[in-house]
Amino acid sequence: MIIVMEPAADEEQIQKVAQKLKSHNFKIVFNRGEVMTVLAAIGDKRLVDPASLASMEGVREVKLIQEPFKLSGRESKADDTVIDLGNGVLIGGKNPSVVMAGPCSVERDIEGLLKVAYTAKDAGAQVLRGGAFKPRTSPYDFQGMEEEGLKYLAEARKQTGLLIATEIMDTPEIDLVASYADILQVGARNMQNYKLLKALGRTNKPVILKRGPAASIREFLLAAEYVIYAGNPNVILCERGVKGFDSHYTRNILDIASIPVIKKYSHLPVIVDPSHATGRRYLIEPMSKSALAAGADGLMIEVHHDPENASSDGAQSLTTDQFKSLMFKLNKLGKLLNDLSESDVEAVPG
Ligand code: PEP
Ligand code: MN
């Protein structure tokens, strides 16, 4: 249920409404906008009569939430969620796109990682992303350096000032990974690991939630719902492609349309990972451009100092030079898109 308060409603009136709902075991999430406060109340709606709530002092309107994703949906929060990732980097809303770049896996070569980190920083990326715990399809493939890898990432952050994002594969690792990382990533294979999602909801770090390889948009938003419902509103959705029938030319199918769809139904920031979506280096640039043009709030791109010898995902990793050139172009594109969104109201003929 959504309770929209009058702009003039005072705190006492807001709390009275909240108390009434809480007494029926509703969970309340307050969205305090510039003009008015909106309460999203999750619970058994048979226990409270919407008409009695609507007649309370300070209440403007009571609405029932139609979509199953109650907290991640726009029905409960009309304004875009803006997340502070740290270092003053904001993602979502009208903020410039955030770029997260780095090798697929952190490898036993800290010089290589530092080269990528310095390149990313100089080119304008805000986040260094690299996996220390790797979810690999085969148990015989490189599984990641675990805590040692987290230490390398921490060193790169110390030297470059970049924020660190890394994957968390299992609930018992949360404290360890969170003690090193600024942003926690849930991989595509874990999108429906509900215990992990609930546990991440009890942390206070931003969570990047990747879309499952065969997840519908609705399932994706419901997975985000788990994290928010458990207490952490800072979820960044990551579109990374879904499984298709033709893996000969692309690893997955990048669902570009999911960006405006998610933006329509959800207030959460959305980023795109063109690397896992395509699996091919030459496709990173066109897909990055498409993602920004479709409204993505950021990109996650694999970059390696020596892709041919990477321990994982070399074929889709950009070289440091390719990344620099890509960032130069994306910067220009970002300005064009910004001009377009600022002027499109006046530019419409008639
Ligand atoms: C990754 O981001 O390193 C990864 C394994 O991607 P995904 O979970 O999207 O497959
Ligand atoms: Mn990878």
Side-chain angles (χ1 to χ4, degrees):
M1 225 184 293
I2 298 293
I3 299 93
V4 184
M5 301 301 295
E6 293 286 1
D10 61 27
E11 195 53 34
E12 204 184 323
Q13 293 168 333
I14 296 170
Q15 288 307 332
K16 250 190 173 165
V17 174
Q19 277 316 322
K20 182 175 170 96
L21 287 156
K22 278 185 192 161
S23 70
H24 292 288
N25 290 327
F26 273 71
K27 185 179 167 107
I28 316 288
V29 177
F30 293 89
N31 292 315
R32 295 182 188 272
E34 270 173 34
V35 183
M36 57 180 67
T37 295
V38 176
L39 279 65
I42 315 292
D44 186 345
K45 57 179 184 281
R46 289 168 305 181
L47 299 178
V48 179
D49 175 15
S52 76
L53 281 174
S55 66
M56 288 179 77
E57 293 287 325
V59 174
R60 169 175 282 197
E61 197 186 356
V62 177
K63 298 189 276 191
L64 295 181
I65 305 177
Q66 304 297 334
E67 298 292 351
F69 34 86
K70 303 195 181 301
L71 299 173
S72 52
R74 281 227 188 255
E75 285 180 291
S76 65
K77 184 171 181 285
D79 298 340
D80 289 333
T81 286
V82 173
I83 301 174
D84 186 349
L85 300 175
N87 288 355
V89 178
L90 301 177
I91 189 165
K94 293 201 184 323
N95 289 292
S97 53
V98 170
V99 177
M100 312 187 182
C104 178
S105 310
V106 178
E107 300 170 12
R108 228 162 252 298
D109 171 5
I110 190 149
E111 295 309 322
L113 180 70
L114 290 172
K115 179 174 180 199
V116 171
Y118 278 112
T119 303
K121 170 87 184 172
D122 293 345
Q126 294 85 352
V127 180
L128 175 67
R129 192 218 79 126
F133 291 86
K134 293 301 305 174
R136 303 305 302 280
T137 304
S138 163
Y140 307 116
D141 288 341
F142 179 56
Q143 303 287 307
M145 285 172 63
E146 305 197 343
E147 187 168 5
E148 196 66 13
L150 297 174
K151 289 188 175 150
Y152 282 22
L153 288 169
E155 178 60 26
R157 172 177 50 202
K158 193 168 138 205
Q159 292 200 26
T160 62
L162 288 169
L163 296 164
I164 298 299
T166 197
E167 179 156 351
I168 169 109
M169 280 174 57
D170 205 359
T171 310
E173 289 151 13
I174 291 183
D175 288 345
L176 174 72
V177 178
S179 71
Y180 287 93
D182 301 290
I183 306 160
L184 304 172
Q185 174 182 320
V186 177
R189 295 161 181 81
N190 258 327
M191 189 204 83
Q192 286 174 312
N193 180 341
Y194 299 120
K195 280 199 171 158
L196 178 62
L197 300 179
K198 285 183 189 176
L200 287 168
R202 294 190 288 269
T203 70
N204 58 2
K205 298 259 160 131
V207 172
I208 298 170
L209 178 64
K210 299 190 91 177
R211 181 174 180 183
S216 66
I217 293 173
R218 181 167 281 210
E219 288 163 337
F220 192 17
L221 291 175
L222 281 168
E225 191 78 13
Y226 268 91
V227 182
I228 303 174
Y229 186 57
N232 185 350
N234 298 321
V235 180
I236 301 152
L237 299 166
C238 179
E239 168 61 53
R240 46 75 77 200
V242 287
K243 271 207 190 303
F245 54 87
D246 180 3
S247 56
H248 191 79
Y249 296 109
T250 65
R251 186 170 171 177
N252 290 296
I253 297 179
L254 178 55
D255 185 2
I256 287 285
S258 75
I259 305 160
V261 171
I262 292 170
K263 294 255 157 212
K264 179 173 165 67
Y265 291 97
S266 173
H267 49 83
L268 296 173
V270 187
I271 63 172
V272 170
D273 167 358
S275 310
H276 293 89
T278 64
R280 308 284 185 279
R281 193 172 301 136
Y282 81 98
L283 291 171
I284 306 305
E285 180 176 323
M287 292 303 97
S288 298
K289 290 174 174 167
S290 311
L292 295 187
D297 297 294
L299 295 165
M300 177 187 279
I301 299 172
E302 286 188 342
V303 184
H304 196 278
H305 64 288
D306 179 14
E308 280 180 16
N309 292 303
S311 300
S312 56
D313 286 348
Q316 67 193 34
S317 299
L318 297 182
T319 63
T320 49
D321 282 345
Q322 287 167 336
F323 181 70
K324 277 190 235 171
S325 140
L326 174 67
M327 287 295 281
F328 178 76
K329 293 175 195 170
L330 294 183
N331 217 350
K332 286 194 162 188
L333 179 63
K335 288 187 185 126
L336 281 174
L337 291 170
N338 193 37
D339 285 352
L340 194 63
S341 64
E342 277 173 10
S343 63
D344 52 12
V345 179
E346 301 101 80
V348 178

